Amino acid sequence: MKIIKIFKSLLVTSLILTTLKANNNLLESQPEIIFNFEKLVKSQKNLALQVEFNKAVLLLSKKEYKESIKIFEKTVSIIEIPSFLNMGIAYYKLNSIDKAVIYLNKIYENKSNVQSNTFSYMSACYYLYEISKDEKYLETIIKVSRKFKNLSEHSKRMLADTYIILKKYEEALTVLDSMDYAMDLKKALIYLKLNNHIKADIYLKKAKEVAVNSKTLEHITWFMIYSDLKSNNLEQLFENLDNLNEIKSTFKSNLELPLEIYFNKNKFTPKQYLESLISFSDDRKIDFMFYFAPFIFSDLQEVIYDSSKGFIFNSEDNIQNLEEMVEYNSKFLEIVKEDPIIRVIKLEKLIKKDTKSYVYYNLALSYTQINDFYNAYKYFNKAYKLNPGNKLYAVMTLITAKKIDSKVKDKEYMESIIKSKNGLYNYFGKELYKYFLNPEYKTEVEALNYKDTIFFKAIDYLKVLDAKEDIQNHTLFSEYKKDPLIYLMRLVHRKKDESDLSYYSRLQDNVPLKFNNNFLEGPLIITKYYIDMLKALGLFSKADLKIDGKKSPSYLKTKVLRDLHFNASDESIKTLEYLQKEYNLEDKYTMYLMVASLLESGRYNDASIQISLIKALLNDKESSFLTGVQLIQDLKIISAKEYIKEPFIDSLIDFKLVGFDEYLESL
């Protein structure tokens, strides 16, 4: 009767310790041995040692490591492997690494323990990895786990932790979903790592409902805000910021897990990069349109328009005007062959007091191809004001204004011009207006001779793409194969009935990795498309992004990007400083490259100043968002909400919680 009472006491103790273990993520072993009562109870001594073993595990959980070791040295006679494991763990916690390795190896080197003491064997591997960082121990855990279908909850948890350390988050989730424990917070953070913010939010809310620890509740609130920022869920973000504002006087999670902006080498998954190449974002559609838009370097209509203001064709002024047009056309034909950045500089030098509208238009279009949409808007607007009857000038002005989020005073008047029956470039004006600005607008203007132009075919390609129709035989692909952008687009396009294996193999075999000069300089849309393709296929590190001896400014921008990705941010800063000094570049892309470079170099304050400069010069909404993120970190919640007005879209800059991975591994 006395023995039965002792057994019941032991059973209660074991259950208490099991709960303690689940809550504190201890890998200590106080295992299923307790339930093998018949094997253990050979004497009162053995039973007493079992009680002592449980006491030692409790001491271990209380961080009383030396006292626990003394007891484990006694219990090793009847509970050998679990005692060895816990002694190894205790010495590890005491930073007595040599002794820890001795006891852990007693388990690891005896392969019979795989079968008879599975949990202890896996635990020994786990701690040997913690000591050595040798991934062979983690691989062993995975191999062992595959041999046993009925793993204990502790073993499953350890297996999930192993997958987390190895960054195999899908596998970790599979294991966690098979467990009896809810583990909602752990699942939520894994979904954050996988950029699945919908699932992350579901599990964060579940974790919040059951959390009783105030510190854990704080952390969950902080993770919710982080998820909202990453997913651009601004409505929910403001709700969670209001919740944070109510408890910010005691809030500490921002200090334990600081929110920082940083340069993210791979902001998106390979699948997301590939999808962006196939289904264009609004920004890429605009870049695409500007890439194929026509330069105007022989515009007799300009002379006709001037004649309506009293211009006489046979006057000396008219003859001089025609001579100037011929001279400009001759110069432009040479300039248009230049590097896009040099092209902008040379075209700017052609600006004079009585400059014609098409000169401003060509300059504006050149600015779009280096992603300087603020100057593009300025010069498109000048072209329009000089020739308000030109619908192409008007619609380009409105599109760039939308791109930079700028209000146009006479927008309604410009729209009325575009919608009117008369005017230059009637077809393109109406088509671009409908596609980029007002999808509800109905136009039935015939393209006529414009059908033969690459610009017509580019616009038609966007329409076919949006309609999700087959583009394999589109005329843009068949007639302009040698264009570098079209070459890449044709390569990415998936052929009918092409299997996944065939598709990815074809891409990897055919994407140029060495003879790729056409993609490293020129209009920025080409370089961006090429870089995204390399990232989609996991080939960025294998591509040769160097052109020996090349100093063109557009190539130097590619070099900056390469240096950023290969831990040479100080070099990228030097190159950017040279570009800004030599070519006076103040475009958004260049300035964000500088932000990324400064962040990568650890110059956080300088990066913040650069963000403020972007805000001041360009009134950029992304820079406002980044300022808002910094204010959230400082718990200046009301001010932060004033800055965060629009979703954040940038391929270089991202946010992170410092210590996120370590926190996830500790759960």
Side-chain angles (χ1 to χ4, degrees):
M1 194 71 177
K2 185 176 180 182
I3 292 175
I4 293 173
K5 289 181 179 179
I6 293 173
F7 174 72
K8 289 181 178 179
S9 175
L10 284 171
L11 184 59
V12 171
T13 303
S14 178
L15 292 173
I16 292 171
L17 289 172
T18 300
T19 303
L20 182 64
K21 181 174 176 14
N23 291 337
N24 293 312
N25 191 33
L26 297 173
L27 291 177
E28 292 88 88
S29 181
Q30 46 81 29
E32 302 88 346
I33 292 175
I34 189 69
F35 298 105
N36 296 330
F37 176 71
E38 293 175 358
K39 295 180 182 179
L40 281 173
V41 185
K42 293 181 180 178
S43 67
Q44 287 284 38
K45 179 182 178 182
N46 284 0
L47 197 57
L49 285 174
Q50 176 64 39
V51 174
E52 289 296 297
F53 179 89
N54 284 348
K55 286 181 180 178
V57 171
L58 183 59
L59 290 170
L60 193 58
S61 70
K62 293 180 177 180
K63 299 182 181 181
E64 296 179 25
Y65 304 123
K66 291 181 179 179
E67 293 302 315
S68 69
I69 290 171
K70 290 178 182 178
I71 299 176
F72 287 131
E73 286 174 342
K74 298 175 183 177
T75 61
V76 74
S77 62
I78 65 160
I79 313 175
E80 181 182 61
I81 300 304
S83 297
F84 281 155
L85 173 64
N86 290 332
M87 289 168 73
I89 294 171
Y91 279 121
Y92 170 75
K93 299 289 180 70
L94 289 169
N95 204 30
S96 297
I97 302 302
D98 291 341
K99 288 184 178 180
V101 170
I102 290 171
Y103 285 103
L104 295 171
N105 270 332
K106 283 178 181 290
I107 304 168
Y108 175 73
E109 291 172 356
N110 185 351
K111 301 306 178 185
S112 66
N113 288 323
V114 172
Q115 187 74 35
S116 57
N117 291 279
T118 307
F119 173 73
S120 295
Y121 189 84
M122 292 170 70
S123 296
C125 289
Y126 187 90
Y127 278 99
L128 285 169
Y129 165 77
E130 287 292 310
I131 292 169
S132 66
K133 299 304 178 187
D134 189 337
E135 290 191 1
K136 74 175 184 181
Y137 295 111
L138 299 181
E139 292 166 2
T140 299
I141 292 174
I142 294 171
K143 287 179 183 177
V144 170
S145 69
R146 288 171 180 165
K147 293 181 180 179
F148 301 95
K149 294 182 179 179
N150 298 316
L151 292 174
S152 68
E153 290 294 289
H154 297 309
S155 297
K156 287 180 180 179
R157 185 169 184 171
M158 189 190 317
L159 179 60
D161 289 341
T162 299
Y163 281 129
I164 288 169
I165 293 171
L166 292 171
K167 313 298 182 189
K168 295 182 177 181
Y169 299 115
E170 296 282 4
E171 290 89 339
L173 279 173
T174 300
V175 176
L176 290 173
D177 286 339
S178 72
M179 292 179 63
D180 294 333
Y181 295 139
M183 308 290 281
D184 290 329
L185 181 54
K186 198 163 196 167
K187 290 178 184 178
L189 300 195
I190 293 174
Y191 277 118
L192 283 178
K193 295 294 293 185
L194 293 171
N195 288 323
N196 188 335
H197 297 281
I198 295 175
K199 284 286 186 71
D201 288 344
I202 291 171
Y203 282 102
L204 283 170
K205 287 172 183 175
K206 285 184 177 181
K208 191 173 184 178
E209 288 174 0
V210 299
V212 292
N213 183 284
S214 60
K215 191 172 183 179
T216 302
L217 282 167
E218 278 191 12
H219 286 334
I220 293 171
T221 299
W222 195 232
F223 287 127
M224 284 179 162
I225 289 169
Y226 172 66
S227 179
D228 295 338
L229 286 170
K230 294 278 286 183
S231 61
N232 280 316
N233 189 342
L234 302 191
E235 182 178 350
Q236 187 168 283
L237 172 65
F238 291 159
E239 290 180 11
N240 286 321
L241 286 176
D242 289 339
N243 294 335
L244 172 56
N245 201 41
E246 294 177 2
I247 59 173
K248 71 176 186 179
S249 60
T250 58
F251 196 80
K252 293 290 187 294
S253 293
N254 62 316
L255 302 177
E256 296 169 11
L257 294 162
L259 177 63
E260 283 190 1
I261 56 176
Y262 76 110
F263 164 60
N264 192 344
K265 297 178 182 180
N266 293 292
K267 185 171 181 179
F268 308 107
T269 65
K271 182 178 179 181
Q272 289 172 323
Y273 279 117
L274 185 59
E275 182 63 26
S276 74
L277 302 176
I278 299 169
S279 301
F280 289 179
S281 65
D282 289 342
D283 279 342
R284 184 158 271 163
K285 287 176 183 177
I286 292 175
D287 291 344
F288 180 86
M289 182 273 293
F290 282 132
Y291 177 73
F292 289 107
F295 287 108
I296 300 173
F297 56 92
S298 181
D299 192 354
L300 187 60
Q301 295 290 344
E302 182 74 20
V303 180
I304 294 172
Y305 179 77
D306 285 345
S307 70
S308 70
K309 296 188 292 186
F311 199 82
I312 301 173
F313 269 81
N314 62 0
S315 71
E316 290 184 9
D317 287 342
N318 188 52
I319 293 171
Q320 182 182 353
N321 187 68
L322 288 171
E323 288 176 347
E324 288 177 356
M325 181 179 290
V326 171
E327 181 184 359
Y328 170 79
N329 291 345
S330 176
K331 290 180 180 178
F332 183 78
L333 284 171
E334 292 302 316
I335 293 172
V336 78
K337 300 174 186 176
E338 297 274 9
D339 177 276
I341 295 173
I342 294 175
R343 182 195 302 164
V344 163
I345 292 170
K346 289 189 174 181
L347 287 177
E348 274 194 327
K349 291 179 180 178
L350 298 181
I351 300 295
K352 297 182 293 186
K353 186 176 181 181
D354 56 349
T355 294
K356 299 299 177 184
S357 61
Y358 59 86
V359 180
Y360 284 121
Y361 167 84
N362 287 338
L363 176 58
L365 191 56
S366 296
Y367 267 118
T368 66
Q369 295 185 2
I370 65 171
N371 276 33
D372 187 343
F373 293 101
Y374 294 87
N375 275 315
Y377 168 70
K378 172 183 172 183
Y379 289 111
F380 276 137
N381 199 28
K382 283 180 178 288
Y384 158 74
K385 287 181 177 178
L386 283 174
N387 192 346
N390 191 313
K391 297 183 179 183
L392 185 59
Y393 297 170
V395 76
M396 292 298 202
T397 303
L398 293 177
I399 290 171
T400 49
K402 180 182 178 182
K403 178 85 172 178
I404 63 174
D405 198 28
S406 177
K407 293 183 179 179
V408 181
K409 292 182 180 179
D410 48 353
K411 180 182 177 182
E412 291 184 5
Y413 178 68
M414 294 173 75
E415 288 180 325
S416 68
I417 288 176
I418 294 169
K419 294 175 183 178
S420 66
K421 293 183 179 180
N422 301 318
L424 303 178
Y425 299 101
N426 192 31
Y427 174 79
F428 284 134
K430 284 181 164 60
E431 284 296 311
L432 293 177
Y433 176 74
K434 175 179 175 60
Y435 188 84
F436 287 104
L437 300 171
N438 186 0
E440 303 302 318
Y441 176 66
K442 295 181 179 180
T443 175
E444 297 178 352
V445 178
E446 289 291 327
L448 302 176
N449 293 335
Y450 288 134
K451 284 187 176 180
D452 295 327
T453 67
I454 192 172
F455 194 34
F456 169 87
K457 292 165 186 174
I459 295 170
D460 183 70
Y461 177 86
L462 290 177
K463 294 177 183 177
V464 173
L465 196 66
D466 288 349
K468 300 188 183 303
E469 297 174 5
D470 183 30
I471 58 174
Q472 185 172 345
N473 298 316
H474 196 278
T475 54
L476 196 65
F477 283 179
S478 59
E479 295 180 16
Y480 301 95
K481 298 177 183 178
K482 293 183 179 180
D483 180 273
L485 179 60
I486 292 175
Y487 173 84
L488 294 174
M489 289 166 53
R490 287 179 71 242
L491 184 60
V492 169
H493 175 67
R494 190 163 187 165
K495 298 174 184 177
K496 189 176 182 181
D497 299 326
E498 192 171 20
S499 68
D500 287 346
L501 178 60
S502 298
Y503 177 59
Y504 289 108
S505 297
R506 176 174 62 80
L507 286 180
Q508 291 179 335
D509 290 343
N510 290 282
V511 62
L513 299 178
K514 290 187 177 181
F515 302 104
N516 53 5
N517 292 14
N518 286 332
F519 314 125
L520 304 183
E521 57 181 345
L524 196 54
I525 185 175
I526 300 173
T527 304
K528 284 184 172 182
Y529 198 94
Y530 178 60
I531 296 297
D532 286 352
M533 182 183 290
L534 293 176
K535 290 185 175 182
L537 300 173
L539 295 174
F540 185 86
S541 61
K542 296 181 180 180
D544 184 359
L545 302 179
K546 295 180 181 178
I547 309 178
D548 292 334
K550 197 71 173 180
K551 297 293 183 182
S552 68
S554 292
Y555 166 69
L556 289 178
K557 275 194 177 182
T558 303
K559 180 180 179 298
V560 166
L561 204 57
R562 186 193 74 215
D563 289 340
L564 258 177
H565 282 76
F566 292 106
N567 304 316
S569 54
D570 290 340
E571 184 65 25
S572 67
I573 292 171
K574 291 178 184 177
T575 304
L576 287 168
E577 288 174 343
Y578 163 78
L579 286 171
Q580 289 179 324
K581 181 180 179 181
E582 188 72 17
Y583 301 102
N584 195 31
L585 296 180
E586 291 183 346
D587 61 283
K588 178 177 174 179
Y589 182 71
T590 301
M591 297 182 82
Y592 271 108
L593 276 176
M594 180 61 85
V595 173
S597 300
L598 291 168
L599 289 170
E600 189 70 1
S601 291
R603 295 166 58 178
Y604 198 86
N605 290 336
D606 289 337
S608 296
I609 293 171
Q610 182 74 7
I611 291 168
S612 299
L613 182 62
I614 296 172
K615 172 66 177 173
L617 290 176
L618 307 181
N619 192 30
D620 176 58
K621 57 188 179 184
E622 271 85 15
S623 63
S624 294
F625 196 107
L626 293 177
T627 301
V629 171
Q630 292 171 311
L631 290 169
I632 290 173
Q633 168 59 26
D634 295 335
L635 300 187
K636 296 177 180 178
I637 307 304
I638 296 175
S639 298
K641 290 171 68 175
E642 291 298 316
Y643 278 91
I644 298 175
K645 298 294 185 182
E646 300 285 341
F648 181 77
I649 303 170
D650 186 85
S651 61
L652 300 173
I653 311 301
D654 204 354
F655 334 107
K656 65 180 178 181
L657 293 177
V658 179
F660 184 100
D661 287 357
E662 292 79 3
Y663 184 87
L664 172 57
E665 291 173 17
S666 73
L667 287 177

